[in-house]
């Protein structure tokens, strides 16, 4: 800015750069098709209808804990390197070129498309049976948002479990070597391993706590049922026409037509979260098992430290006796 308060061209260019800051995302639809997007935060907020404070959770420069948030039209997911926004028919995943994210993108592309079952056969009876089976499979289809959520949970639980196994492989031999030979080198090696174990335990604990908190609150789990909320909204607006944000997506429009016959669901069915609860419990048990491994390793380290202290005290007493 100039002396008289006027903005000089350099300041205009700097302000423009700040306003046009973009981030890289990969967009995947329910057919598994992906598109790389380089957009700013406002484009993301408009697309998935979330607030800036929710999008800020996914900022890699900010240290937010592991979070799974259910919003009206999206699930905001922050699990370590997995930073995603899941809607009823799309997944937005941040930093798709990251080495830890690439396998998740590939897994989403493989598992997001709904399974289409073919029924070979001849005659009217076979065709009628195949049609009934296909309709039943469609009605019982695992919701898109849960297929995407399952991929993310499976990826983070497997990632943390792999880091734990790597730590175990390095720690147990190092501890055994320390008990057989107390040296500065071995002590420093165990100290570094203990620090790594503490950091990893905190990371695993955060994911476990988030899943436990979600499992303890049925309302929070109900907020993750995006397809159900979509059906409820379509049935309530059937008399006056669909909202504009429905019409913007042909996939959502087709999903509304498929689920229109479910508009008379009961309150109990709308609040039933058993399907999601079973999914979350499976990965809660897995991450809890990983945390138990780290707890066992911590106990082994504590036992080793006690043994080393006893040995050092014994040597110290022997020296005192000699003197």
């Amino acid at each position: 800015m100039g002396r008289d308060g006027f903005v000089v061209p350099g300041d205009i260019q700097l302000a423009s750069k700040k306003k046009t800051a973009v981030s890289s995302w990969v967009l995947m639809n329910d057919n598994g098709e992906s598109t790389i997007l380089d957009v700013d935060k406002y484009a993301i907020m408009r697309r998935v209808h979330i607030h800036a404070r929710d999008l800020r959770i996914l900022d890699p420069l900010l240290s937010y804990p592991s979070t799974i948030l259910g919003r009206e039209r999206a699930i905001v997911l922050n699990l370590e390197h997995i930073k995603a926004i899941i809607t009823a028919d799309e997944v937005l995943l941040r930093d798709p070129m990251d080495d830890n994210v690439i396998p998740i993108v590939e897994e989403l592309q493989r598992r997001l498309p709904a399974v289409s079952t073919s029924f070979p056969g001849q005659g009217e009876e076979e065709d009628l049976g195949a049609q009934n089976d296909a309709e039943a499979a469609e009605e019982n289809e695992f919701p898109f948002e849960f297929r995407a959520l399952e991929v993310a949970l499976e990826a983070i639980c497997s990632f943390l479990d792999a880091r734990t196994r790597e730590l175990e492989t390095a720690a147990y031999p190092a501890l055994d070597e320390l008990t057989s030979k107390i040296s500065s080198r071995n002590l420093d090696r165990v100290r570094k391993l203990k620090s790594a174990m503490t950091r990893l335990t905190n990371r695993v604990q955060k994911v476990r706590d988030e899943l436990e908190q979600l499992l303890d609150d049925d309302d929070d789990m109900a907020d993750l049922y995006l397809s159900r909320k979509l059906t409820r909204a379509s049935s309530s607006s059937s008399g006056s026409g669909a909202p504009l944000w429905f019409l913007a997506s042909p996939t959502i429009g087709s999903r509304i037509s498929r689920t229109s016959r479910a508009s008379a669901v009961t309150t109990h069915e709308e609040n039933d979260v058993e399907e999601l609860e079973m999914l979350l419990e499976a990965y809660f048990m897995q991450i809890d098992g990983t945390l138990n491994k780290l707890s066992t390793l911590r106990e082994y380290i504590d036992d080793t430290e006690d043994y080393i202290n006893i040995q050092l005290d014994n040597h110290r007493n022997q020296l005192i006796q000699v003197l």
Side-chain angles (χ1 to χ4, degrees):
M1 182 173 290
R3 296 179 181 178
D4 298 330
F6 296 103
V7 178
V8 298
D11 293 335
I12 295 177
Q13 293 178 0
L14 181 60
S16 177
K17 288 182 180 179
K18 290 182 179 179
K19 291 182 180 179
T20 57
V22 298
S23 55
S24 182
W25 300 75
V26 60
L27 171 69
M28 282 167 284
N29 59 21
D30 53 1
N31 292 322
E33 300 169 347
S34 61
T35 305
I36 300 296
L37 302 178
D38 292 319
V39 293
D40 59 20
K41 63 180 181 180
Y42 300 104
I44 297 294
M45 290 162 55
R46 287 193 299 267
R47 186 178 189 97
V48 298
H49 305 278
I50 62 174
H51 296 292
R53 64 176 180 272
D54 295 328
L55 189 59
R56 199 174 297 119
I57 294 173
L58 306 181
D59 192 335
L61 301 179
L62 303 178
S63 299
Y64 278 92
S66 296
T67 307
I68 302 174
L69 291 178
R71 293 298 182 248
E72 183 61 29
R73 304 174 190 174
I75 298 172
V76 181
L77 197 68
N78 178 34
L79 298 173
E80 296 272 326
H81 53 276
I82 305 175
K83 303 180 183 300
I85 303 172
I86 304 171
T87 70
D89 64 341
E90 291 180 342
V91 177
L92 281 161
L93 190 63
R94 185 161 187 160
D95 299 328
M97 297 296 107
D98 185 278
D99 291 340
N100 292 323
V101 178
I102 291 176
I104 302 169
V105 174
E106 295 173 350
E107 189 67 11
L108 284 169
Q109 291 172 335
R110 186 180 70 85
R111 292 168 58 176
L112 282 184
V115 178
S116 58
T117 308
S118 59
F119 300 89
Q122 296 179 351
E124 295 181 357
E125 293 183 1
E126 287 83 1
D127 293 338
L128 181 60
Q131 183 178 356
N132 293 336
D133 290 341
E135 290 179 356
E138 181 179 338
E139 291 178 359
N140 297 324
E141 179 184 279
F142 207 43
F144 171 85
E145 62 268 23
F146 292 167
R147 297 203 302 274
L149 179 61
E150 183 176 17
V151 171
L153 290 174
E154 181 181 314
I156 192 60
C157 289
S158 299
F159 176 82
L160 292 174
D161 188 65
R163 301 291 81 76
T164 300
R165 283 187 275 109
E166 290 174 0
L167 184 61
E168 287 178 321
T169 302
Y172 285 113
L175 291 167
D176 293 339
E177 184 177 350
L178 179 61
T179 56
S180 62
K181 181 182 180 181
I182 302 174
S183 65
S184 299
R185 175 181 172 275
N186 288 338
L187 284 170
D188 186 62
R189 182 183 176 192
V190 170
R191 179 187 61 81
K192 291 179 180 178
L193 288 169
K194 184 178 180 180
S195 298
M197 182 206 64
T198 301
R199 291 192 298 270
L200 182 57
T201 300
N202 291 335
R203 293 162 61 188
V204 173
Q205 184 73 54
K206 289 177 182 178
V207 176
R208 182 193 179 279
D209 289 346
E210 181 62 22
L211 290 178
E212 184 178 29
Q213 182 179 353
L214 200 56
L215 283 165
D216 288 341
D217 195 323
D218 287 355
D219 291 336
D220 286 346
M221 285 192 286
D223 286 339
L224 304 185
Y225 278 79
L226 303 181
S227 297
R228 178 185 295 173
K229 289 189 287 187
L230 187 68
T231 303
R232 192 181 307 160
S234 66
S235 61
S236 63
S237 62
S238 57
S240 57
L244 292 177
W245 68 277
F246 286 172
L247 301 178
S249 173
T251 306
I252 292 180
S254 63
R255 183 168 298 171
I256 291 174
S257 65
R258 295 201 309 266
T259 57
S260 60
R261 58 181 179 273
S263 59
V265 294
T266 64
T267 303
H268 173 72
E269 290 172 338
E270 289 180 353
N271 295 330
D272 179 36
V273 294
E274 182 179 0
E275 184 180 37
L276 177 59
E277 188 174 14
M278 293 176 62
L279 172 65
L280 295 177
E281 281 181 349
Y283 292 102
F284 174 80
M285 295 297 293
Q286 183 175 345
I287 199 70
D288 191 55
T290 301
L291 188 60
N292 287 336
K293 292 180 183 179
L294 291 168
S295 298
T296 302
L297 178 58
R298 175 178 290 277
E299 292 175 0
Y300 198 88
I301 291 176
D302 291 341
D303 291 343
T304 302
E305 289 179 342
D306 292 340
Y307 175 80
I308 297 301
N309 289 330
I310 292 173
Q311 292 289 90
L312 292 176
D313 289 342
N314 185 41
H315 290 311
R316 188 180 302 110
N317 291 334
Q318 290 177 357
L319 287 174
I320 292 174
Q321 291 175 0
V322 170
L323 295 175

